[in-house]
Amino acid sequence: MSLLDTLSAGAASAPTRLDPIELFLQADIVVQLVIVGLVLASIWVWAIIFGFSMRMGNTKRKCDAFEKGFWSDDDVDGLLDTRRQNDNASARVAAAGITEFRRSHKAGLRDKEAARNRVAQAMDGQVALEADKLANRLNFLATTGSVAPFVGLFGTVWGIMNSFFQIGLQQNSSLAVVAPGIAEALFATAIGLFAAIPAVIAYNRLSNTVNGFEARLTRFADRVHAQVSREMETV
């Protein structure tokens, strides 16, 4: 076989594109562990994104239905009991204010202004609690967005160190010796970015959604507080 034929055969057998699975299988065990951890983090990030979106949509629909009925239904107690059983954020906010109002009314309402402040504080506290419950799982998105690139970089640094070790071991600094190890190492950084970028985008977007929902509950609480204040004036 001629030299030209040998080169042609080698070119034909060489890969024509990157194979992520092959890069993973050929990587050092430390780099493999880094990649597996980042892939699991990425899966969890997407699970949080889809789960939160579905939960947020369901929560808004429940709150819409409750708030519509709250201002038109005379049986407030029955409405509150039903909605609280159905896990309704607006119902819990209204219940916090109305419960505090009834406690103050039972005590005689000697200081109406203080009673108004207690009602407002009770609802404000419940609004903050509802927002915290919604935003609780978003902390993982922020953590992944901040840490994943550095975890991937750690895998890259380790892989490059291993490539230099192979150079010293084989006494050969040709590109054919170091290129595979460097490619495997850089793959860890790519996976880190793959996990971090959606996490950062989702965290900013979903945090804005939580802030908007908190503002909505605050406006509803203000309306309830105004209604309770009018009730106090007639007592």
Side-chain angles (χ1 to χ4, degrees):
M1 181 181 290
S2 66
L3 179 59
L4 182 60
D5 292 335
T6 302
L7 294 174
S8 299
S13 62
T16 58
R17 61 183 177 84
L18 288 175
D19 187 346
I21 296 177
E22 188 66 24
L23 287 174
F24 172 77
L25 294 176
Q26 296 299 325
D28 181 81
I29 183 62
V30 175
V31 179
Q32 287 182 342
L33 291 175
V34 167
I35 292 173
V36 168
L38 290 172
V39 169
L40 292 176
S42 180
I43 292 173
W44 188 240
V45 163
W46 284 104
I48 291 175
I49 292 172
F50 287 117
F52 182 89
S53 299
M54 295 176 62
R55 180 184 179 188
M56 197 72 242
N58 187 43
T59 298
K60 287 182 177 180
R61 285 192 295 271
K62 287 181 178 180
C63 290
D64 286 339
F66 172 79
E67 291 175 19
K68 182 178 180 180
F70 183 80
W71 301 113
S72 60
D73 198 328
D74 293 332
D75 185 14
V76 175
D77 290 332
L79 184 65
L80 286 174
D81 290 338
T82 301
R83 299 302 181 181
R84 275 185 292 181
Q85 291 175 3
N86 292 334
D87 189 25
N88 192 294
S90 293
R92 287 191 290 268
V93 171
I98 292 174
T99 300
E100 181 58 41
F101 165 69
R102 288 175 177 170
R103 287 174 180 170
S104 299
H105 184 270
K106 186 177 180 180
L109 282 178
R110 289 184 293 272
D111 188 343
K112 293 184 179 180
E113 187 60 32
R116 289 190 183 95
N117 291 334
R118 288 194 298 270
V119 169
Q121 290 173 359
M123 288 192 292
D124 288 344
Q126 189 62 41
V127 168
L129 180 61
E130 296 297 332
D132 289 342
K133 286 168 60 178
L134 285 172
N136 184 41
R137 296 179 67 185
L138 299 185
N139 292 331
F140 183 80
L141 298 181
T143 302
T144 301
S146 300
V147 174
F150 295 101
V151 175
L153 183 60
F154 167 76
T156 296
V157 171
W158 184 274
I160 292 176
M161 288 169 58
N162 188 54
S163 295
F164 281 115
F165 176 77
Q166 293 300 324
I167 291 175
L169 188 66
Q170 300 182 25
Q171 298 296 316
N172 188 347
S173 61
S174 69
L175 189 61
V177 173
V178 299
I182 293 176
E184 296 154 10
L186 291 174
F187 183 54
T189 296
I191 295 297
L193 294 175
F194 178 78
I197 292 172
V200 172
I201 295 174
Y203 177 76
N204 292 333
R205 181 69 183 88
L206 299 181
S207 294
N208 185 62
T209 300
V210 172
N211 292 337
F213 185 71
E214 183 178 9
R216 168 194 172 147
L217 289 180
T218 300
R219 290 192 296 270
F220 174 69
D222 290 342
R223 294 182 64 191
V224 174
H225 183 262
Q227 180 66 27
V228 170
S229 296
R230 284 192 291 270
E231 293 286 340
M232 288 182 182
E233 291 175 359
T234 62
V235 175

